[in-house]
Amino acid sequence: GKKESFTVKSVYKALTKNDAGPYFVKIWKGKIPAKIKIFLWLVANNAILTRDNMIRRKWPGDPSCLFCDRDESVSHLLFQCSMAKAVWGIVAFSLGATNVPRNFSQCWMWCEKWLPHRQIFHAIVIAVICWAIWKMRNNICFQGKKVTSPITIICHACSLISYWAGLYEDLDKEELSAGAETMLKIALQLVGKAKGPQDQEVIEGRDADAEDH
């Protein structure tokens, strides 16, 4: 409809103008669904309806995160919550990374460090994890579902990767699908039993800024 095309056009302008920021063009050019590009743009602008943002709009509810007892914000929900850090820790282990990102802008630098030759995949990696966490959060909030393990979120992220891989050329599509299968296997192994103290630190989410100053 008219309203939707206006929204997409507005987001396109915001993501492609020269002063939009270093990662906004990457969001728009990423091979991910249009609605996910809009979601990432909202995340980048701290504008998704997390509880802190709703309270700013005079919502009278509980500010607590649905995964833990700390106050919910965009960075907390997607990166700093114990659940988010466990999810990113599994992704990190799958990529051979030794830390996890703490916020959205650091996330892109993290991808550049740990996937330096696969820039075509940066947007989809960030998108599937952020979107999977957001969807699970909403399932808890609106449907009363219980999510107690990062495996639930990783499973959803892997299914999204396999589905969105259809937007890529054949070899890239195969690489993404294989990567999703590998990440799921690793997740099941790691959550079942950490291999050692070093691995456990990554699973629990050693912050990227602890190593990258």
Side-chain angles (χ1 to χ4, degrees), residues 96-100 102 106 110 113-114 198 201-202 205-213:
T98 59
N99 56 34
V100 296
R102 276 186 60 80
Q106 191 182 79
W110 185 81
K113 178 174 181 177
W114 299 109
Q198 253 188 336
E201 282 183 359
V202 177
R206 181 191 294 164
D207 296 338
D209 57 5
E211 295 180 12
D212 303 331
H213 295 290

Short mmCIF file of all heavy atoms in Angstrom, two decimals, residues 96-100 102 106 110 113-114 198 201-202 205-213:
data_model
loop_
_atom_site.label_atom_id
_atom_site.label_comp_id
_atom_site.label_asym_id
_atom_site.label_seq_id
_atom_site.Cartn_x
_atom_site.Cartn_y
_atom_site.Cartn_z
N GLY A 96 35.28 -19.39 14.88
CA GLY A 96 36.66 -19.36 15.37
C GLY A 96 37.01 -18.06 16.05
O GLY A 96 38.18 -17.74 16.26
N ALA A 97 35.99 -17.27 16.43
CA ALA A 97 36.22 -15.99 17.12
C ALA A 97 36.46 -16.23 18.60
O ALA A 97 36.01 -17.23 19.16
CB ALA A 97 35.02 -15.07 16.93
N THR A 98 37.17 -15.31 19.24
CA THR A 98 37.48 -15.45 20.66
C THR A 98 36.75 -14.43 21.53
O THR A 98 37.03 -14.31 22.71
CB THR A 98 39.00 -15.30 20.90
OG1 THR A 98 39.42 -14.02 20.42
CG2 THR A 98 39.77 -16.40 20.19
N ASN A 99 35.82 -13.69 20.94
CA ASN A 99 35.04 -12.72 21.71
C ASN A 99 33.67 -12.54 21.07
O ASN A 99 33.39 -13.13 20.03
CB ASN A 99 35.78 -11.38 21.83
CG ASN A 99 36.15 -10.80 20.48
OD1 ASN A 99 35.42 -10.95 19.51
ND2 ASN A 99 37.29 -10.13 20.40
N VAL A 100 32.82 -11.74 21.71
CA VAL A 100 31.49 -11.45 21.16
C VAL A 100 31.28 -9.93 21.13
O VAL A 100 31.86 -9.22 21.95
CB VAL A 100 30.37 -12.11 22.00
CG1 VAL A 100 30.48 -13.62 21.94
CG2 VAL A 100 30.39 -11.63 23.44
N ARG A 102 29.46 -6.30 21.71
CA ARG A 102 28.65 -5.76 22.81
C ARG A 102 27.55 -4.81 22.34
O ARG A 102 26.68 -4.44 23.12
CB ARG A 102 29.55 -5.00 23.80
CG ARG A 102 30.20 -5.90 24.82
CD ARG A 102 30.95 -5.10 25.86
NE ARG A 102 30.09 -4.18 26.60
CZ ARG A 102 29.32 -4.54 27.62
NH1 ARG A 102 29.27 -5.80 28.00
NH2 ARG A 102 28.59 -3.64 28.25
N GLN A 106 29.61 -2.26 16.98
CA GLN A 106 30.77 -3.13 17.19
C GLN A 106 30.60 -4.45 16.44
O GLN A 106 31.57 -5.08 16.02
CB GLN A 106 30.96 -3.39 18.69
CG GLN A 106 32.28 -4.06 19.02
CD GLN A 106 32.42 -4.36 20.49
OE1 GLN A 106 31.86 -5.34 20.97
NE2 GLN A 106 33.14 -3.53 21.20
N TRP A 110 33.28 -6.57 14.34
CA TRP A 110 33.50 -7.96 14.73
C TRP A 110 33.46 -8.87 13.50
O TRP A 110 34.31 -9.75 13.33
CB TRP A 110 32.43 -8.34 15.75
CG TRP A 110 32.57 -9.70 16.37
CD1 TRP A 110 33.37 -10.07 17.41
CD2 TRP A 110 31.82 -10.87 16.01
NE1 TRP A 110 33.17 -11.39 17.71
CE2 TRP A 110 32.22 -11.91 16.88
CE3 TRP A 110 30.84 -11.14 15.06
CZ2 TRP A 110 31.69 -13.20 16.81
CZ3 TRP A 110 30.31 -12.41 14.98
CH2 TRP A 110 30.74 -13.43 15.85
N LYS A 113 36.52 -8.49 11.41
CA LYS A 113 37.69 -9.16 11.99
C LYS A 113 37.64 -10.67 11.77
O LYS A 113 38.64 -11.29 11.41
CB LYS A 113 37.78 -8.86 13.48
CG LYS A 113 38.95 -9.57 14.15
CD LYS A 113 39.13 -9.15 15.61
CE LYS A 113 40.33 -9.87 16.22
NZ LYS A 113 40.59 -9.44 17.60
N TRP A 114 36.47 -11.28 12.00
CA TRP A 114 36.39 -12.74 12.01
C TRP A 114 35.89 -13.34 10.70
O TRP A 114 36.02 -14.55 10.48
CB TRP A 114 35.52 -13.20 13.18
CG TRP A 114 36.10 -12.79 14.50
CD1 TRP A 114 35.62 -11.83 15.36
CD2 TRP A 114 37.30 -13.28 15.11
NE1 TRP A 114 36.44 -11.70 16.46
CE2 TRP A 114 37.47 -12.58 16.34
CE3 TRP A 114 38.23 -14.25 14.75
CZ2 TRP A 114 38.55 -12.82 17.19
CZ3 TRP A 114 39.31 -14.49 15.60
CH2 TRP A 114 39.45 -13.77 16.80
N GLN A 198 38.45 -22.46 28.33
CA GLN A 198 38.56 -21.43 27.28
C GLN A 198 37.30 -21.37 26.45
O GLN A 198 36.76 -20.32 26.15
CB GLN A 198 39.75 -21.76 26.37
CG GLN A 198 40.92 -20.82 26.60
CD GLN A 198 41.98 -21.06 25.54
OE1 GLN A 198 42.05 -22.13 24.95
NE2 GLN A 198 42.80 -20.09 25.29
N GLU A 201 34.40 -19.73 28.22
CA GLU A 201 34.46 -18.25 28.24
C GLU A 201 33.82 -17.68 26.99
O GLU A 201 33.13 -16.68 27.04
CB GLU A 201 35.92 -17.77 28.34
CG GLU A 201 36.49 -17.88 29.75
CD GLU A 201 37.90 -17.34 29.82
OE1 GLU A 201 38.43 -16.90 28.78
OE2 GLU A 201 38.47 -17.35 30.91
N VAL A 202 34.06 -18.33 25.85
CA VAL A 202 33.48 -17.84 24.60
C VAL A 202 31.97 -18.06 24.59
O VAL A 202 31.20 -17.20 24.22
CB VAL A 202 34.13 -18.54 23.37
CG1 VAL A 202 33.46 -18.09 22.08
CG2 VAL A 202 35.61 -18.23 23.32
N GLY A 205 30.29 -15.62 26.55
CA GLY A 205 30.33 -14.31 25.92
C GLY A 205 31.41 -13.39 26.43
O GLY A 205 31.15 -12.41 27.11
N ARG A 206 32.66 -13.70 26.10
CA ARG A 206 33.74 -12.77 26.42
C ARG A 206 33.60 -11.57 25.50
O ARG A 206 33.54 -11.70 24.29
CB ARG A 206 35.09 -13.46 26.17
CG ARG A 206 36.29 -12.56 26.52
CD ARG A 206 37.58 -13.17 26.00
NE ARG A 206 37.92 -14.41 26.67
CZ ARG A 206 38.82 -15.26 26.20
NH1 ARG A 206 39.41 -15.03 25.05
NH2 ARG A 206 39.11 -16.35 26.86
N ASP A 207 33.54 -10.38 26.06
CA ASP A 207 33.25 -9.18 25.29
C ASP A 207 34.37 -8.85 24.32
O ASP A 207 35.55 -8.97 24.62
CB ASP A 207 33.07 -7.97 26.22
CG ASP A 207 31.86 -8.15 27.12
OD1 ASP A 207 30.98 -8.95 26.76
OD2 ASP A 207 31.81 -7.51 28.19
N ALA A 208 33.98 -8.37 23.13
CA ALA A 208 34.96 -7.97 22.14
C ALA A 208 35.82 -6.82 22.63
O ALA A 208 37.01 -6.77 22.34
CB ALA A 208 34.25 -7.58 20.83
N ASP A 209 35.24 -5.91 23.40
CA ASP A 209 36.04 -4.76 23.83
C ASP A 209 36.99 -5.11 24.96
O ASP A 209 37.81 -4.30 25.36
CB ASP A 209 35.16 -3.55 24.20
CG ASP A 209 34.14 -3.85 25.28
OD1 ASP A 209 34.17 -4.98 25.83
OD2 ASP A 209 33.31 -2.97 25.55
N ALA A 210 36.94 -6.35 25.43
CA ALA A 210 37.93 -6.80 26.40
C ALA A 210 39.25 -7.05 25.69
O ALA A 210 40.32 -7.01 26.30
CB ALA A 210 37.47 -8.07 27.10
N GLU A 211 39.18 -7.31 24.38
CA GLU A 211 40.39 -7.57 23.60
C GLU A 211 40.67 -6.45 22.60
O GLU A 211 41.81 -6.16 22.31
CB GLU A 211 40.22 -8.88 22.81
CG GLU A 211 40.11 -10.10 23.72
CD GLU A 211 39.94 -11.38 22.92
OE1 GLU A 211 40.14 -11.33 21.69
OE2 GLU A 211 39.63 -12.41 23.51
N ASP A 212 39.62 -5.85 22.07
CA ASP A 212 39.79 -4.83 21.03
C ASP A 212 39.52 -3.45 21.62
O ASP A 212 38.39 -3.06 21.81
CB ASP A 212 38.81 -5.08 19.87
CG ASP A 212 38.99 -6.48 19.30
OD1 ASP A 212 40.12 -6.98 19.38
OD2 ASP A 212 38.02 -7.04 18.79
N HIS A 213 40.57 -2.74 21.91
CA HIS A 213 40.40 -1.39 22.48
C HIS A 213 40.43 -0.33 21.40
O HIS A 213 41.06 -0.53 20.38
CB HIS A 213 41.51 -1.13 23.50
CG HIS A 213 41.42 -2.05 24.69
ND1 HIS A 213 40.43 -1.96 25.63
CD2 HIS A 213 42.18 -3.13 25.04
CE1 HIS A 213 40.61 -2.91 26.54
NE2 HIS A 213 41.66 -3.63 26.20
#
